[in-house]
């Protein structure tokens, strides 16, 4: 999945972002390969979520240029779907209704029966085939996040932007959903851009990791992770060494202890 010869689906070219007199991004350049699983890693508040908002045309750039799927972000929004830290489900709709809502809001030109079929297929893909008629209050936190992933898949995006989607879940649920997400990624071939401040999460999931600095944000390094999946960090010298290196990088930025929450 980390083939450097693939076309880039996103390009940041010397991008700067300012809010008032505060510089958030300073001359950031990077690309995202079509079909890869990319993690944006860095301490809280360093601008990782800002990068997602820029890709989705939710923020303007102060300088530089961003290209998404060969076009400006404001013309590529329909190629993108989001999964947030909170599932953002509407309580008066079932799991099925929440997934079809995504397609309705996106204005997909599909008959309602086709939307329902697509929604059921994606609920099946995330392991909720038997829970389609349940309301969010009847679902666990992990199940609600699965509905959010099914909703994102149902609009047929080229790329899914995930903003710390598992950070509010307990450790066991988080581990299970990471494995399921990798299976979904493998089955669908979507490009996934995944924001996290958890070093181990990034090492377990990513084809590549972009390590962000504290603000004003720069990219400190790009790390290729080509170890076969499923990965166990303690079972791999290479992954253990990368983890130690990244922990040291967090400590050097003054964020010791934040990197595995």
């Amino acid at each position: 999945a980390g083939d450097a010869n693939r076309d880039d689906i996103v390009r940041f070219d010397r991008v700067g972002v300012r809010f008032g007199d505060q510089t958030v991004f300073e001359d950031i350049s990077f690309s995202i390969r079509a079909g890869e699983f990319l993690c944006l890693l860095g301490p809280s508040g360093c601008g990782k979520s800002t990068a997602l908002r820029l890709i989705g045309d939710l923020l303007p750039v102060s300088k530089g240029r961003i290209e998404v799927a060969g076009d400006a972000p404001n013309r590529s929004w329909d190629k993108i779907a989001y999964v947030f830290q909170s599932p953002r489900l509407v309580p008066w709709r079932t799991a099925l209704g929440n997934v079809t809502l995504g397609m309705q809001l996106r204005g997909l030109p599909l008959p309602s029966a086709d939307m329902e079929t697509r929604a059921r297929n994606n609920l099946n893909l995330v392991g909720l085939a038997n829970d389609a008629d349940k309301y969010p209050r009847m679902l666990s936190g992990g199940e609600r996040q699965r509905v959010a992933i099914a909703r994102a898949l149902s609009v047929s995006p080229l790329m899914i932007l995930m903003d710390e989607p598992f950070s509010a879940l307990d450790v066991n649920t988080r581990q299970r959903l990471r494995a399921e997400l990798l299976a979904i990624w493998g089955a669908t071939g979507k490009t996934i851009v995944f924001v996290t401040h958890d070093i181990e999460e990034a090492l377990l999931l990513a084809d590549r990791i972009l390590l962000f600095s504290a603000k004003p944000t720069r990219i400190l390094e790009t790390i290729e992770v080509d170890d076969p999946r499923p990965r166990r960090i303690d079972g791999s010298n290479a992954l253990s060494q990368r983890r130690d290196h990244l922990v040291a990088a967090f400590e050097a930025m003054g964020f010791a202890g934040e990197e595995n929450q």
Side-chain angles (χ1 to χ4, degrees):
D3 184 352
N5 295 320
R6 293 200 183 170
D7 291 337
D8 292 334
I9 192 169
V10 174
R11 290 193 183 96
F12 275 53
D13 182 17
R14 291 165 291 184
V15 170
V17 175
R18 293 177 64 84
F19 298 145
D21 59 358
Q22 185 192 27
T23 299
V24 181
F25 277 3
E26 186 78 76
D27 276 333
I28 281 196
S29 296
F30 66 90
S31 59
I32 301 170
R33 304 166 188 157
E36 84 169 324
F37 199 124
L38 180 78
C39 278
L40 308 183
L41 176 68
S44 294
C46 75
K48 303 182 297 293
S49 299
T50 299
L52 296 191
R53 293 189 190 106
L54 291 167
I55 293 169
D57 193 44
L58 300 176
L59 279 178
V61 299
S62 305
K63 64 175 181 175
R65 189 164 151 273
I66 298 172
E67 200 176 272
V68 179
D71 218 332
N74 66 345
R75 290 199 285 273
S76 304
W77 60 270
D78 58 339
K79 311 284 197 309
I80 292 164
Y82 279 91
V83 178
F84 299 95
Q85 188 171 347
S86 160
R88 301 191 180 188
L89 307 181
V90 297
W92 58 88
R93 280 197 176 212
T94 61
L96 182 71
N98 269 283
V99 177
T100 56
L101 179 62
M103 291 181 269
Q104 291 160 356
L105 292 174
R106 187 63 65 98
L108 295 192
L110 289 174
S112 56
D114 291 356
M115 283 192 184
E116 181 173 326
T117 298
R118 184 184 288 189
R120 288 190 185 279
N121 288 341
N122 282 305
L123 285 169
N124 183 44
L125 188 62
V126 300
L128 292 178
N130 298 323
D131 301 288
D133 298 326
K134 290 182 180 176
Y135 288 89
R137 66 179 182 277
M138 303 160 71
L139 301 171
S140 69
E143 288 167 339
R144 288 195 289 269
Q145 202 58 295
R146 284 195 188 97
V147 174
I149 293 169
R151 181 180 58 198
L153 289 167
S154 288
V155 299
S156 291
L158 292 177
M159 178 167 45
I160 301 177
L161 308 178
M162 309 189 84
D163 196 353
E164 305 210 36
F166 305 148
S167 61
L169 304 172
D170 67 82
V171 172
N172 290 334
T173 304
R174 207 182 306 171
Q175 290 173 343
R176 194 164 65 246
L177 282 185
R178 285 172 188 161
E180 290 175 7
L181 177 61
L182 286 172
I184 291 164
W185 170 67
T188 62
K190 302 295 182 192
T191 305
I192 294 181
V193 186
F194 189 104
V195 161
T196 184
H197 62 258
D198 184 321
I199 287 170
E200 296 207 351
E201 183 166 67
L203 287 169
L204 290 170
L205 292 175
D207 288 328
R208 278 193 311 149
I209 298 169
L210 300 186
L211 178 62
F212 280 40
S213 73
K215 288 177 184 166
T217 307
R218 297 169 296 111
I219 293 173
L220 294 177
E221 60 183 303
T222 301
I223 298 164
E224 300 269 354
V225 190
D226 48 15
D227 301 62
R229 299 178 178 92
R231 297 171 183 159
R232 273 186 56 245
I233 292 172
D234 290 333
S236 162
N237 282 338
L239 288 174
S240 296
Q241 287 170 7
R242 285 199 190 100
R243 177 185 57 194
D244 294 346
H245 170 74
L246 288 166
V247 168
F250 269 64
E251 288 173 352
M253 286 187 270
F255 289 91
E258 191 193 85
E259 63 278 352
N260 283 308
Q261 291 180 355

